[in-house]
Amino acid sequence: MTATILIGLGALLLALFIYAAWIEPAWRLRVVRYTLPMAGWGARAPLKIVILSDIHAGAPHVSLRRLRRIVARANAEGGDLAVLLGDYAAAHPYTLGKMSKDDIIAALKGFTAPLGIYAVLGNHDWWQDSTALKEQRAPEAALALSNHDIPHLDNEAIRLRGGEEAFWLLGLADQRPLSLDPEEDGFDDLDAAMKQVTDTAPAILLAHEPDIFPDVPAQVLLTLSGHTHGGQIRILGRSPVVMVAESEIFAYGHYHHGAQSLIVSGGIGCSDYPIRLGMPPEITVVTITGPT
């Protein structure tokens, strides 16, 4: 191999590294939209849900200033409902400065919609607050949500809209607060949430990890999840990171089982390493309509 080829190859690898470590995770942002005609939605008006998942805020990639810009872009989608799917602070050590959970949630408070904003917690919200379990208290992320008046659905259900337009929004506690192993018990209790559903109106479930999808009851038409970041590296539509993780069955995008759908958002930030390649940070927008 000639010196020219080696230099060219080195330059290509360097450019690829700069793109994956800085340009894509720190500068790019896309909006990924799904429209789901669902028979179970009936004659209800369409519902547009705007989703921010896996924020993993931390400078320089996701600074508070950038987070506010992301919130403004999300609001520009004109959603009916705004949801946060957990994992609020950076999950890797490659950050600059100090940023508290309260700082992050304060920046997210501007994320609004006519039907309100609702949140769940993710695994890192527990992992980053190891004393919460010892002290038998809510983690810092939950306290910050409460401080900024953002409803945190913890195995809870809430009825939105009214009359013939009504539907249920359920929020699941985290399924992996102690370990990545999906076989270990989590704090999730879908049965407890479903017991709060008092009629047959369709339901939407917020669940940080998508693992729960095969077990959701038929009344839950749509499950919204994050957690995987789409693998952060995605080549030709597949992620080598998620592919080797047997615990990650649902990697990214739209899955369906009969009349039920699951949307897995690619999220905003990064876990373990601040690298994204072929998987830009995203705002996810899901519009539910009646059957066409």
Side-chain angles (χ1 to χ4, degrees):
M1 187 176 293
T2 67
T4 302
I5 294 175
L6 287 173
I7 291 171
L9 181 59
L12 178 62
L13 291 175
L14 177 60
L16 187 64
F17 176 78
I18 292 171
Y19 176 81
W22 179 248
I23 295 173
E24 185 164 310
W27 289 92
R28 291 198 60 192
L29 178 67
R30 65 179 179 178
V31 179
V32 178
R33 300 180 179 88
Y34 302 89
T35 299
L36 306 179
M38 309 191 85
W41 195 248
R44 291 170 178 80
L47 176 73
K48 180 187 281 190
I49 309 168
V50 183
I51 303 156
L52 294 179
S53 183
D54 300 275
I55 306 295
H56 287 300
H61 289 86
V62 186
S63 65
L64 290 176
R65 182 178 178 183
R66 185 182 183 214
L67 183 53
R68 294 186 188 101
R69 291 200 302 268
I70 290 170
V71 166
R73 181 66 187 84
N75 286 340
E77 285 297 306
D80 301 303
L81 178 65
V83 302
L84 299 169
L85 295 183
D87 279 5
Y88 298 101
H92 56 76
Y94 309 103
T95 59
L96 301 174
K98 293 184 178 180
M99 188 185 299
S100 70
K101 296 286 198 314
D102 197 76
D103 293 334
I104 296 166
I105 300 303
L108 289 168
K109 187 175 181 179
F111 185 30
T112 61
L115 292 177
I117 177 174
Y118 296 89
V120 293
L121 297 185
N123 56 306
H124 284 283
D125 298 318
W126 285 101
W127 294 3
Q128 293 169 1
D129 192 0
S130 58
T131 60
L133 288 175
K134 295 177 183 178
E135 298 173 3
Q136 296 186 325
R137 62 167 174 81
E140 293 174 357
L143 297 175
L145 289 168
S146 177
N147 289 342
H148 293 282
D149 300 316
I150 296 177
H152 163 214
L153 299 180
D154 188 43
N155 297 323
E156 294 174 280
I158 184 168
R159 195 172 187 264
L160 297 176
R161 290 180 172 168
E164 295 181 353
E165 294 290 317
F167 68 95
W168 292 90
L169 183 69
L170 284 66
L172 198 65
D174 194 67
Q175 300 160 69
R176 303 186 187 182
L178 308 176
S179 168
L180 265 178
D181 185 356
E183 298 302 319
E184 289 198 16
D185 289 340
F187 296 151
D188 55 299
D189 191 339
L190 184 55
D191 289 340
M194 288 300 301
K195 286 179 181 177
Q196 300 169 46
V197 175
T198 57
D199 58 34
T200 59
I204 297 166
L205 174 66
L206 310 182
H208 178 72
E209 295 93 349
D211 307 12
I212 195 73
F213 180 56
D215 301 318
V216 298
Q219 191 172 351
V220 177
L221 297 184
L222 174 63
T223 301
L224 301 175
S225 298
H227 181 62
T228 67
H229 311 178
Q232 291 186 199
I233 297 173
R234 204 161 187 84
I235 301 169
L236 299 176
R238 295 178 67 83
S239 170
V241 177
V242 174
M243 285 166 57
V244 299
E246 294 181 0
S247 62
E248 305 293 3
I249 300 171
F250 305 106
Y252 174 68
H254 181 202
Y255 299 86
H256 59 87
H257 176 71
Q260 297 170 293
S261 282
L262 163 69
I263 298 293
V264 182
S265 170
I268 298 293
C270 299
S271 180
D272 296 332
Y273 298 99
I275 291 175
R276 278 183 177 254
L277 179 63
M279 195 66 223
E282 74 173 59
I283 297 166
T284 312
V285 180
V286 180
T287 301
I288 307 174
T289 70
T292 56

